[in-house]
Amino acid sequence: MHATLAQPSWVMLAYLIAGIFFILALRGLSSPATSRRGNRFGMAGMAIAVSTTLATHEIASLPEILGAIALGGGIGWITARRIAMTDMPQLVAAFHSLVGLAAVLVASAAFLQPENFGIAGADGLIHSVSRIEMGLGVAIGAITFSGSVIAFLKLNGNMSGAPILLPARHVINLGTLAAILGLIGYFLTDQSPWIFWTVTALSFAIGFLLIIPIGGADMPVVVSMLNSYSGWAAAAMGFTLQNSAMIITGALVGSSGAILSYIMCKAMNRSFISVIAGGFGAEAASSGGAAKEQRPWKRGSAEDAAFLLKEAEQVIIIPGYGMAVAQAQHILREMGDLLKKEGVRVKYAIHPVAGRMPGHMNVLLAEANVPYDEVFELEDINSEFAQTDVAFIIGANDVVNPAAKTDKSSPIYGMPVFDVDKAKTIMFIKRSMGGVGYAGVDNDVFYMDQTMMLLADAKKMVEDIVKALQH
């Protein structure tokens, strides 16, 4: 592949336009109401960037390019059509891993054939600045790849969601990171292959080591952080390829992912630095355990729930991953519509880390056509539970667990949660009393006097409540 060093002005203009489209895409994706438009802007920007790159670079023959686009686009189209919303977090993690792997492959190709990338001098040695870009690109890409693979395995259930703690892991992590940075620095003075491949191997290892100590309750932050890493990897490779579109796109993804991670860490009362270091909150993970089924609790029926809901003045619905698994968002919206016809105020409360990735619940509710003005974030609605007749919890656990406020040994301690215990009545839909949520801790809300446990599949229970409301 040959990169044109002196690019025509129209190429820079095209990349600038593509960058503007990407910025508009991010702005659109900041709200469910404008997310479709944001996606269209992103698609248009990518089409401009890809077309410009293909027109100005001698990469391969046209049939090979079209074949690769058709193959990749076909796989993406089929995956998007078949993937369930419950599996979206795994898909996002898998896509992040591909971005990281692409960065590693590009950096490897540039190291093996620098003259084809226009980064070698007359003596055949790679330019110093290009070595820095290459080293950072392969390091961040490899970390993104192996970290995303571990995140995928945890989210998909192939690996335990509980933190996996290695002895002296902080010393190992810091030592490995120091070795990577030291070797990248040494790479400036010595272009030996063993340095490049050692950096690559250590980076794959540290990606694995950083993610395995992180528990399932914190996985949404991990997905967001890996998204940021994938952007920085792409930006580093953009410098190596001298491609402005990659630099702009990578910087946008990297910075927006980092900002989102910071916002989520703040919402969870976590340290942003410890997210980057890996294994935050892991020391407390040993406090998790099985649900205390011997404690007294009250079981209710769909008819009981329908009566109380119909008599309420305000109902706050709190969705969680269980709703996603049951695909209950559509029937839940139908229940909300029936209640509104009865004069009940219905609101939906979304926790920043509900589900398995940022915005998971927002996407599901938008898919079910829940009005945007009925959906509220934690900080905007938490004060209303004291004046709420019914807190209706469907498939959530950790985000309503008061242990986050009271139990310092809990793995979720310090995470802001909904004050559902202040509501007059709490309805809690879950499959059985044996489940303890993704973080693996019991929930005192199950056993409160005002709590009615509705044990069933979330979709089936809401369907039965809807039938009871109709009759």
Side-chain angles (χ1 to χ4, degrees), residues 145-363:
F145 173 77
S146 55
S148 298
V149 169
I150 298 301
F152 172 86
L153 294 175
K154 287 199 172 196
L155 290 167
N156 204 44
N158 303 110
M159 178 182 290
S160 172
I164 300 174
L165 308 181
L166 299 177
R169 66 186 183 283
H170 295 307
V171 175
I172 296 173
N173 290 350
L174 289 173
T176 306
L177 287 171
I180 291 171
L181 294 175
L183 286 171
I184 292 176
Y186 186 47
F187 192 48
L188 283 172
T189 60
D190 189 342
Q191 196 177 308
S192 299
W194 73 266
I195 301 175
F196 179 84
W197 300 118
T198 301
V199 169
T200 305
L202 289 176
S203 300
F204 278 126
I206 195 62
F208 171 83
L209 294 171
L210 287 174
I211 304 303
I212 59 170
I214 299 178
D218 298 319
M219 200 51 65
V221 184
V222 174
V223 173
S224 175
M225 202 66 228
L226 289 170
N227 175 56
S228 178
Y229 290 166
S230 68
W232 297 124
M237 286 300 93
F239 282 104
T240 299
L241 297 176
Q242 301 178 39
N243 188 299
S244 302
M246 282 188 68
I247 297 172
I248 295 171
T249 308
L252 287 172
V253 173
S255 57
S256 60
I259 293 170
L260 177 60
S261 299
Y262 175 78
I263 292 172
M264 294 179 70
C265 287
K266 188 176 180 181
M268 295 174 65
N269 196 28
R270 303 297 196 192
S271 166
F272 183 69
I273 299 299
S274 57
V275 178
I276 300 174
F280 58 98
E283 284 79 7
S286 59
S287 65
K292 308 181 183 82
E293 295 186 49
Q294 71 275 14
R295 297 169 63 182
W297 52 277
K298 293 186 298 185
R299 182 167 187 166
S301 66
E303 291 74 20
D304 298 329
F307 175 79
L308 291 172
L309 288 167
K310 198 172 183 179
E311 296 297 316
E313 291 186 6
Q314 175 164 292
V315 174
I316 297 181
I317 299 172
I318 305 170
Y321 187 66
M323 183 194 75
V325 173
Q327 289 289 284
Q329 62 269 25
H330 296 281
I331 191 65
L332 184 68
R333 191 261 307 157
E334 186 177 341
M335 184 191 82
D337 291 344
L338 288 173
L339 291 175
K340 285 187 287 184
K341 289 180 181 179
E342 297 291 334
V344 181
R345 293 191 306 274
V346 178
K347 297 182 178 182
Y348 297 81
I350 305 296
H351 195 279
V353 294
R356 301 287 176 82
M357 71 175 185
H360 200 178
M361 296 300 106
N362 301 78
V363 172

